[in-house]
Amino acid sequence: MNAKRAADRGIQVGMLPKGRLNKITDVPGVRVGHATIRDARHHTGVTVVLPCGDNMFKSKLTAASFVLNGFGKTQGLVQVDELGTLETPIALTNTLNVGIVHDAMVSYMAARCREDRVEMHSINPVVGECNDATLNAIEDRPVTAAHVMQAIADAVEDFDEGDVGAGAGTVCHGLKGGIGSASRQLMIAGKTYTLGVLVQSNHGCLEELTVCGRRLGEEILARRKAAPREEPNDRGSIMMIVATDLPVSDRQLRRILKRCSVGLARCGSYFGHGSGDVMIGFTTANRMPHGGMHRVLTQQVVTEHSLELAFRAIAEATQEAVLNSLCCADDVTAENGEVVEAIGRYL
């Protein structure tokens, strides 16, 4: 796996300080795991974001989502938006494997609740997807429950990026995309907080690819001696998972999530008709107990003015996460012999 991230290639994104790993897992307690499937017909897999180590159904996380363009098949967002909570890890996979991954997440949480002696009669797994049919025989649906359990078991802080897990078969701005991540640190009222982003990048068109102001897509087309299409096609999808330990309400979190779009735009996305641009976020700061019949909860939240720094941070982190998904990927060859090139050869 190509370990050269954007910063390793001399690409500097923004001015805010980064976390220790510059990944979503810089938020304390967050881990990420992959299960990757690679063979002659398949380049696909599953990636799971674990927000915490304890039972999320017993103690739910404040959460929100924002769908910029809804060309997607994500499960679980209706309840997230209604209740403002997250009660399972977040899984990412390909479009036709959403149902299988959802079922596996139900089994995982049911077993976890039995172990913890927590009564569970309903559960809301959150599963996102991108269509990786360019490089993957997606109709075979090779991802199984065992792959989901493997990703959960293998979850770590310093996880791989690029064409791994749910990013194994994705294409971003006409080049090999995948999983990418970045983080930023915020100082508010004398305390340091962290905000991290993980993307599954499968969106954009080559003509519009921009790397920190450099019109790299146009340069690549010139080197290939190919003319830009009269009508560029920004399609595919991108899943953006946001984690933070900033004490915010679900409404405030949704405001933050919307600014992921700034990072995408800086890379050249214009959110085309066929692009599903989905943002899902959680904070580890405000937990909600399961049940809570006739109870009053007291929570801390930052002021609205304090969100200004978070807006800037999410834009920077999303931009760098997309670039990391590109920079960490290698060339991948489809079953028909088509090669999707990595960005590294052009930087």
Side-chain angles (χ1 to χ4, degrees):
M1 185 61 56
N2 195 329
K4 285 192 174 181
R5 308 178 80 200
D8 300 324
R9 299 176 184 274
I11 300 170
Q12 297 299 324
V13 179
M15 299 293 292
L16 292 175
K18 304 175 183 182
R20 178 175 61 89
L21 295 173
N22 192 22
K23 295 180 179 181
I24 192 173
T25 46
D26 289 325
V27 177
V30 178
R31 292 172 294 136
V32 172
H34 306 295
T36 305
I37 301 171
R38 289 195 189 93
D39 57 40
R41 283 176 59 79
H42 307 112
H43 297 277
T44 193
V46 60
T47 295
V48 178
V49 178
L50 281 76
C52 58
D54 59 307
N55 190 323
M56 295 176 58
F57 185 76
K58 183 178 180 181
S59 180
K60 308 175 196 303
L61 282 76
T62 296
S65 74
F66 180 70
V67 179
L68 185 62
N69 192 57
F71 205 112
K73 319 304 184 282
T74 303
Q75 287 194 342
L77 298 190
V78 172
Q79 182 171 307
V80 169
D81 287 342
E82 181 69 21
L83 302 184
T85 57
L86 178 69
E87 58 189 27
T88 75
I90 300 170
L92 304 175
T93 189
N94 70 59
T95 305
L96 299 189
N97 266 118
V98 169
I100 292 171
V101 173
H102 180 278
D103 185 69
M105 292 293 291
V106 171
S107 296
Y108 168 75
M109 290 302 300
R112 183 71 188 267
C113 286
R114 282 194 299 270
E115 179 184 335
D116 295 338
R117 298 183 180 180
V118 176
E119 193 171 336
M120 188 201 86
H121 297 300
S122 176
I123 193 73
N124 185 55
V126 175
V127 185
E129 56 79 31
C130 288
N131 192 312
D132 55 15
T134 298
L135 290 170
N136 176 48
I138 192 171
E139 67 279 7
D140 292 349
R141 300 197 294 168
V143 176
T144 67
H147 292 112
V148 178
M149 300 307 174
Q150 177 190 334
I152 293 172
D154 292 347
V156 293
E157 290 184 0
D158 198 4
F159 57 93
D160 289 335
E161 298 171 272
D163 41 311
V164 294
T170 60
V171 180
C172 179
H173 284 282
L175 302 170
K176 186 64 193 75
I179 300 296
S181 193
S183 71
R184 293 295 184 271
Q185 292 186 323
L186 322 173
M187 179 71 74
I188 297 176
K191 185 174 180 179
T192 300
Y193 299 96
T194 303
L195 186 151
V197 178
L198 179 143
V199 303
Q200 177 192 18
S201 66
N202 192 52
H203 66 293
C205 59
L206 182 58
E207 291 90 332
E208 297 293 328
L209 175 60
T210 304
V211 178
C212 294
R214 177 184 174 187
R215 299 284 294 180
L216 183 62
E218 294 177 357
E219 293 179 26
I220 293 173
L221 287 171
R223 288 176 63 174
R224 293 178 177 175
K225 298 182 179 179
R229 290 171 291 184
E230 290 186 7
E231 294 186 6
N233 195 347
D234 184 345
R235 65 180 182 179
S237 291
I238 179 169
M239 296 298 309
M240 292 155 279
I241 311 301
V242 176
T244 186
D245 56 2
L246 188 67
V248 289
S249 67
D250 60 295
R251 178 190 59 78
Q252 290 175 319
L253 184 57
R254 193 167 191 265
R255 293 192 69 201
I256 294 171
L257 294 180
K258 292 178 181 180
R259 272 68 179 186
C260 285
S261 59
V262 178
L264 295 186
R266 289 175 179 175
C267 294
S269 176
Y270 58 83
F271 326 118
H273 159 68
S275 181
D277 311 294
V278 179
M279 307 153 197
I280 307 169
F282 59 86
T283 175
T284 61
N286 287 324
R287 305 290 294 267
M288 300 287 289
H290 174 60
M293 185 72 70
H294 305 304
R295 295 174 63 181
V296 176
L297 300 176
T298 300
Q299 294 185 333
Q300 287 188 326
V301 296
V302 299
T303 63
E304 299 301 311
H305 181 75
S306 299
L307 298 179
E308 191 79 15
L309 195 56
F311 293 163
R312 181 180 171 193
I314 197 70
E316 286 189 13
T318 304
Q319 179 185 6
E320 187 167 11
V322 171
L323 294 177
N324 280 336
S325 75
L326 288 161
C327 288
C328 292
D330 296 306
D331 295 354
V332 173
T333 304
E335 185 182 17
N336 64 4
E338 179 184 355
V339 178
V340 178
E341 296 180 325
I343 198 174
R345 66 176 61 200
Y346 296 107
L347 292 174

